Amino acid sequence: MTYDPTGHLLLTPVDREAPVRVQRLRQLGLGDRPDPAFDEFAHKLAEVTGAPYSMVNFIDENRQFFAGLHTPAGTHSGSDLPGAAGGDVSRFMARDHGYCPHVVVRRKALVLEDVCDYPRFAGNPVVDEIGIRSYLGAPLIDRTGIALGTICVVDTEPRPWGRAGLETIKSLAAELIEQIHRREDSRL
């Protein structure tokens, strides 16, 4: 676990790769606007996993951006995730909210069947503010070795994702990275 200079536990890991990631995202033209192809991919994630919410998420030094977003309402206007108090969360989320920054820094998929079972994750703001109870995510590691972001699915109820869910999310992450590579190749 990481501590800040005052001795407090940092719930979000230090991300030393962020500046290089931002350069790579700019080079690819990703991470700053919604993308219909990523919205479609997020919809596919939801269908395959049966999750009500899914995202294609790119992360910079300060925030996360959902370039692809699927919600139960099927809308993608930019403020689609209902807050526990009835508010909305936009396609942008602070870097210290949620679990995707952990996936990017660890460079490994993460399965949280019930976030409340994990003290490190149970205190995350998305639990109280949005009502997230389960998470399944995998990193998007491109051909240069940079973790660009994640794909993830979340639910407001605990979910038994299991090994099958882990293998599914990893396979879908590989599929999306291939799509990103084809996009890059076509621009060259």
Side-chain angles (χ1 to χ4, degrees), residues 53 99 115 126-128 130-135 154-157:
Y53 301 97
Y99 310 105
V115 299
V126 297
V127 175
D128 292 331
I130 303 171
I132 300 302
R133 285 294 301 273
S134 62
Y135 172 91
V154 297
D155 201 337
T156 56
E157 300 292 328

Side-chain angles (χ1 to χ4, degrees), residues 41-51 54 136 153 159 161 164-165 167-169 171-172 175:
F41 198 87
H43 179 74
K44 177 181 179 175
L45 285 169
E47 282 187 338
V48 169
T49 63
S54 57
L136 177 63
V153 294
R159 293 283 299 263
W161 305 111
E167 294 307 318
T168 297
I169 202 76
S171 173
L172 289 165
E175 182 181 324

Side-chain angles (χ1 to χ4, degrees), residues 66-102:
F66 306 130
L69 177 64
H70 172 83
T71 66
T75 58
H76 307 289
S77 64
S79 30
D80 299 305
L81 296 175
D88 289 328
V89 175
S90 74
R91 283 191 187 249
F92 294 95
M93 185 180 286
R95 202 178 89 64
D96 63 347
H97 284 50
Y99 310 105
C100 291
H102 295 272

Side-chain angles (χ1 to χ4, degrees), residues 112-146:
L112 300 172
E113 293 182 343
D114 186 342
V115 299
C116 294
D117 290 342
Y118 303 89
R120 179 174 190 173
F121 298 117
N124 195 284
V126 297
V127 175
D128 292 331
E129 292 175 19
I130 303 171
I132 300 302
R133 285 294 301 273
S134 62
Y135 172 91
L136 177 63
L140 296 169
I141 301 174
D142 82 342
R143 61 174 62 134
T144 67
I146 296 172

